[in-house]
Amino acid sequence: MVFSMRGSVFPKACAWAFPAAGFAIALHFATQADPELRQMLDEKFGLELRASQVFVSYNFLLTFILSFRSTQAYARWWEGGTLLLQARGEWFNAY
C-alpha cells in the first residue's frame, strides 16, 4: 500500500488542522452573519485583517518552518556522512 497510516504524521497533523479550520470557518460565517460581532472584534483587537495580510503571514511562517527543517535535515545528513567516512577509515586502519 502506497499511503500507509502507520508511521505517518498525517493523523497527528489532521488532529491539529481540522479543529483550527473548523474554528476559522465558524468565525468567518459568524462575522458575516452578524455585523455587530465583526465591529466588536475589530474594536477589541484593534485591527481588521485582510485576506492579503493573512496570506503573507501564513507564507512567512511556512517559509520559516520549511527552511529551519531543511537546515536541520542537511546538518543530520552531513553528520551521517562524516560518521560513515570515519567508520570506513577505522575499518581500513584495522588491517
Side-chain angles (χ1 to χ4, degrees):
M1 185 165 166
V2 176
F3 297 107
S4 176
M5 293 300 279
R6 185 172 180 212
S8 175
V9 297
F10 188 71
K12 196 173 202 178
C14 288
W16 283 95
F18 286 140
F23 177 73
I25 291 169
L27 186 62
H28 172 74
F29 284 119
T31 56
Q32 294 297 321
D34 188 10
E36 293 175 5
L37 176 63
R38 185 182 195 103
Q39 175 93 19
M40 190 262 308
L41 288 173
D42 288 343
E43 289 173 0
K44 182 170 178 93
F45 294 112
L47 61 109
E48 184 177 338
L49 288 177
R50 304 264 187 242
S52 62
Q53 292 171 327
V54 174
F55 183 72
V56 168
S57 301
Y58 174 75
N59 282 333
F60 173 76
L61 181 65
L62 189 65
T63 302
F64 178 76
I65 290 171
L66 286 176
S67 65
F68 176 74
R69 291 191 51 107
S70 296
T71 304
Q72 226 177 6
Y74 181 71
R76 288 180 184 162
W77 177 82
W78 195 252
E79 181 183 7
T82 304
L83 291 174
L84 186 63
L85 287 177
Q86 182 181 0
R88 187 180 125 208
E90 289 178 9
W91 274 96
F92 182 74
N93 289 334
Y95 287 109

